[in-house]
Amino acid sequence: MSDKRTDHVILNVNVLDVGIVHDAWRSSELHPLSFVDVDYFTRIGRIAERGLLDAYFLADGPALREDPRHKPGRALEPTSILAAVGAATENLGLIGTLSTTFNDPWELAYRVQSLDHLSGGRVAWNVVTTYSPEAAGNFGLAELPDRDVRYRRAEEFVTVVNDLWRSVIDERPTVHHGEFFDVEAVLPVPRSAQGYPLLVQAGGSPDGRALAGRAAHAVFSAEMSLGAGIEHYRHVKSVAAAAGRNRSHIRVLPGLITVLGSTEEQARRRHRESTALSPDGFSLRRLAGTLGVDPDELDHDAPLPVSVVDGPPDPARFRGSLGFREAVVRLAVDERLTVGQLLDVLAGGFGHRRVVGTPEQVADTIEHWFLAGAADGFNLMPDKFPDGLEDFVDQVIPILQERGLFRREYEAPTLRGRWGIPLPERQFAAS
């Protein structure tokens, strides 16, 4: 089967609090409580819909991880925000991140299917296993389960949720008895305009990629170079084909950080000014956490230590994202960067490609990756909201439209329809 994609680039906006830059909250366009203000989130949704973007993407943080002395953290529960954004928009897709480690499959299926029904078929669930050790205690666990246990649970969790959603189409109960769950149930919510929600997967570990290939309709990836993007794109499609799926029914969507200016120098000045506000040592500590090492092990003027580059992280010590770690290490090695140079390139956006430049330069990157077969589109991460997204909508979208790479109107009311994923059909006779 071919890798035939949609006729245009898929573009979602990843709403990371008030922006990817650590101190974006200091923007004069925001107030200190923007991160818990429903009007702030719905404003971003309306801007995204004005730009005809595919979807509004939210991460989840079931623990207080940011130091509130430095930055307001992720606070509101994702489906609550998406319900408000869905009510304020008509076509914009709604993608919410929810953990398989800290949720119940029936309750999650019920909640997300309800949102999909109410929004007219615009919802997708981003599947994660959560690598934050801080979250474990919030759910009564002494420690975070090992990675292999989390992914075994995730595989079974996704199976149960899919069966529950399919039961809405097939009009029959779900009966499941497995390692982690015993479920004999039906959902009381009717099918939505797209049948039931789509699945998105965000994780670059071997287990995560395998789960994506078997079950996901889209993959949020973290490749930072074109070569790595092409390699990952082909791998995900191949895993999908090996699982008996149509290769064209899974979308690969890397993250893309954008810092825009009318000239390249203006964009770089904006970037310098926004990153200069970060606390002393913040970027180094964050890089060390991404790599799974102590900050003292990183020499600003030297390459990454051989122990980081050559050896996989110790599972007993490393609880972070393997995908982010792999992307950062590969970038440092391929570009022969010192730690200091790597910090300058990453600038707070660890694991995702970043473009600092003019609207034309951002459009060039999107076009190059799309036509080279490295991406079906991108999850956009502006440096700060709302102006970073407004600049993209007003300045980059028209260029992509002029090049024939992006829509001029929404071609379908459902997310499934816009991504070219077929409607689910009944598999069994009703009983």
Side-chain angles (χ1 to χ4, degrees):
M1 295 182 181
S2 72
D3 290 347
K4 185 180 185 300
R5 302 174 286 176
T6 55
D7 294 332
H8 56 74
V9 175
I10 292 172
L11 294 176
N12 307 320
V13 58
N14 188 8
V15 186
L16 287 168
D17 306 324
V18 292
I20 190 69
V21 174
H22 184 268
D23 282 87
W25 64 275
R26 297 177 185 267
S27 168
S28 60
E29 295 186 66
L30 302 172
H31 60 78
L33 296 179
S34 293
F35 72 112
V36 289
D37 182 3
V38 68
D39 292 336
Y40 164 75
F41 290 105
T42 55
R43 178 185 177 187
I44 293 174
R46 292 189 183 99
I47 295 170
E49 186 161 79
R50 177 166 62 81
L52 304 176
L53 300 192
D54 286 82
Y56 187 112
F57 191 110
L58 281 178
D60 187 20
L64 182 63
R65 299 190 65 193
E66 296 285 355
D67 186 334
R69 295 173 299 177
H70 297 157
K71 178 182 183 293
R74 198 164 302 136
L76 301 180
E77 189 275 328
T79 53
S80 302
I81 299 174
L82 293 178
V85 173
T89 56
E90 296 182 0
N91 295 284
L92 187 66
L94 310 166
I95 305 175
T97 302
L98 299 168
S99 174
T100 57
T101 303
F102 302 120
N103 280 285
D104 172 82
W106 189 93
E107 192 281 329
L108 185 146
Y110 182 34
R111 181 175 11 138
V112 178
Q113 176 72 13
S114 297
L115 183 59
D116 197 39
H117 183 75
L118 293 173
S119 67
R122 295 189 273 150
V123 172
W125 165 37
N126 180 42
V127 181
V128 297
T129 66
T130 305
Y131 58 78
S132 166
E134 297 90 345
N138 293 346
F139 294 87
L141 301 179
E143 60 182 4
L144 190 70
D146 290 339
R147 190 182 306 273
D148 65 328
V149 174
R150 298 202 313 273
Y151 272 99
R152 289 207 316 273
R153 177 185 168 98
E155 289 274 0
E156 188 175 337
F157 194 112
V158 168
T159 296
V160 173
V161 170
N162 268 328
D163 286 350
L164 287 164
W165 284 344
R166 280 230 53 94
S167 72
V168 175
I169 306 298
D170 294 332
E171 300 178 13
R172 60 184 297 169
T174 293
V175 178
H176 174 94
H177 302 292
E179 178 184 1
F180 297 95
F181 307 109
D182 286 294
V183 179
E184 296 185 14
V186 295
L187 288 180
V189 186
R191 65 178 294 161
S192 71
Q194 66 174 355
Y196 51 81
L198 299 181
L199 285 180
V200 179
Q201 191 273 339
S205 68
D207 289 333
R209 292 177 178 180
L211 176 60
R214 287 192 291 270
H217 299 104
V219 180
F220 184 3
S221 61
E223 277 60 49
M224 300 182 69
S225 69
L226 183 66
I230 293 173
E231 180 182 315
H232 178 257
Y233 187 95
R234 292 174 177 171
H235 176 76
V236 169
K237 300 282 185 172
S238 296
V239 173
R245 300 180 61 200
N246 188 325
R247 297 166 65 100
S248 69
H249 292 170
I250 182 170
R251 311 295 178 214
V252 179
L253 308 171
L256 181 65
I257 300 168
T258 57
V259 185
L260 284 163
S262 57
T263 65
E264 186 172 347
E265 175 51 36
Q266 187 182 80
R268 293 190 179 279
R269 183 168 62 251
R270 173 184 171 109
H271 181 63
R272 288 195 301 269
E273 291 173 353
S274 61
T275 56
L277 297 172
S278 296
D280 290 342
F282 166 77
S283 294
L284 181 64
R285 291 193 300 274
R286 188 169 181 184
L287 175 61
T290 298
L291 298 174
V293 299
D294 189 277
D296 293 338
E297 298 179 45
L298 301 177
D299 183 344
H300 190 275
D301 297 318
L304 290 179
V306 174
S307 59
V308 171
V309 173
D310 292 345
D314 180 0
R317 290 183 58 197
F318 186 71
R319 296 287 186 174
S321 166
L322 286 173
F324 281 168
R325 184 186 189 278
E326 178 184 334
V328 169
V329 171
R330 181 165 181 168
L331 175 70
V333 172
D334 290 349
E335 301 294 328
R336 299 182 179 181
L337 302 177
T338 65
V339 169
Q341 292 169 329
L342 183 61
L343 288 171
D344 181 61
V345 170
L346 296 172
F350 298 141
H352 293 289
R353 182 170 179 79
R354 175 169 59 92
V355 179
V356 180
T358 65
E360 289 79 9
Q361 289 173 315
V362 173
D364 288 345
T365 293
I366 292 172
E367 180 176 19
H368 192 190
W369 279 55
F370 181 69
L371 296 182
D376 295 303
F378 292 91
N379 284 308
L380 304 171
M381 293 180 284
D383 55 346
K384 59 189 181 76
F385 290 106
D387 62 322
L389 178 61
E390 287 179 313
D391 289 345
F392 188 94
V393 164
D394 294 335
Q395 300 173 32
V396 181
I397 291 295
I399 297 173
L400 296 175
Q401 290 172 328
E402 184 64 27
R403 297 181 185 182
L405 291 170
F406 198 64
R407 65 171 65 87
R408 293 184 181 272
E409 61 181 11
Y410 283 112
E411 62 274 43
T414 68
L415 190 59
R416 187 183 290 268
R418 290 200 294 274
W419 285 4
I421 309 297
L423 285 169
E425 299 179 351
R426 184 190 296 275
Q427 293 182 343
F428 302 98
S431 59

